[in-house]
Amino acid sequence: MPDKNRKPAEKNGNGKGTTQLEKLFTDQLKDIYWAEKHLTKALPKMQKAATTEELKSAIEEHLTQTEEHVTRLEQVFELMGKKAQAKKCDAMEGLIKEGDSIVEETEAGSMTRDAGIIMAAQKVEHYEIATYGGLVQFAKTMGMDEAANILEQTLEEEKQTDQGLTEIAENNINWEAENEEEEED
Ligand SMILES: [Fe+2]
């Protein structure tokens, strides 16, 4: 059984300090920390642009969760004895930009806009699921069980959000969007 309180740097038992995996883990932690913080600014804009109350409230709920995700990442940095630090995440910046252009290219008040926002939001969720999934595995490998548990909570919330968005899209929005005519330019 791995010792719960074992510090990652002690994992090798050779007193050499930081392992390559720990460095990769920290880099990815900084990346997702930037991404989550960036999302807390982007989600309110997405929410404002959305058409239906259903989607607006789903985005609002996820904003509250996202703020918690930021706090959890700060806890993981603390567990590692490190200061929380953000490193620009080009992928998340790109995904958010893509979401912005969907809003620009769809009509305000349309169901098609909501269908597009859901797709953009799900791309974000899938990026997060991939990152947290990897981080949880790294943490477990390094014997950082407490960090793994914290990250796993966020991973579960990202998965639930993704499923919730699928349900919203499939229940109404996609069907109604399908009946919307394209506006003449
Ligand atoms: Fe998140």
Side-chain angles (χ1 to χ4, degrees), residues 36 62 66 69 128 132 154 158:
E36 295 279 23
H62 194 58
T66 300
H69 297 173
E128 291 188 294
Y132 282 109
T154 300
E158 308 292 14

Side-chain angles (χ1 to χ4, degrees), residues 32-47 59 62-71 92 96 124 128:
I32 197 72
Y33 185 55
W34 189 94
E36 295 279 23
K37 285 176 91 160
H38 194 61
L39 264 177
T40 62
K41 290 176 213 141
L43 286 171
K45 283 189 239 165
M46 267 190 182
Q47 189 200 18
I59 295 172
H62 194 58
L63 174 61
T64 310
Q65 287 180 333
T66 300
E67 283 159 358
E68 181 65 26
H69 297 173
V70 171
T71 308
M92 184 59 76
I96 301 284
V124 168
E128 291 188 294

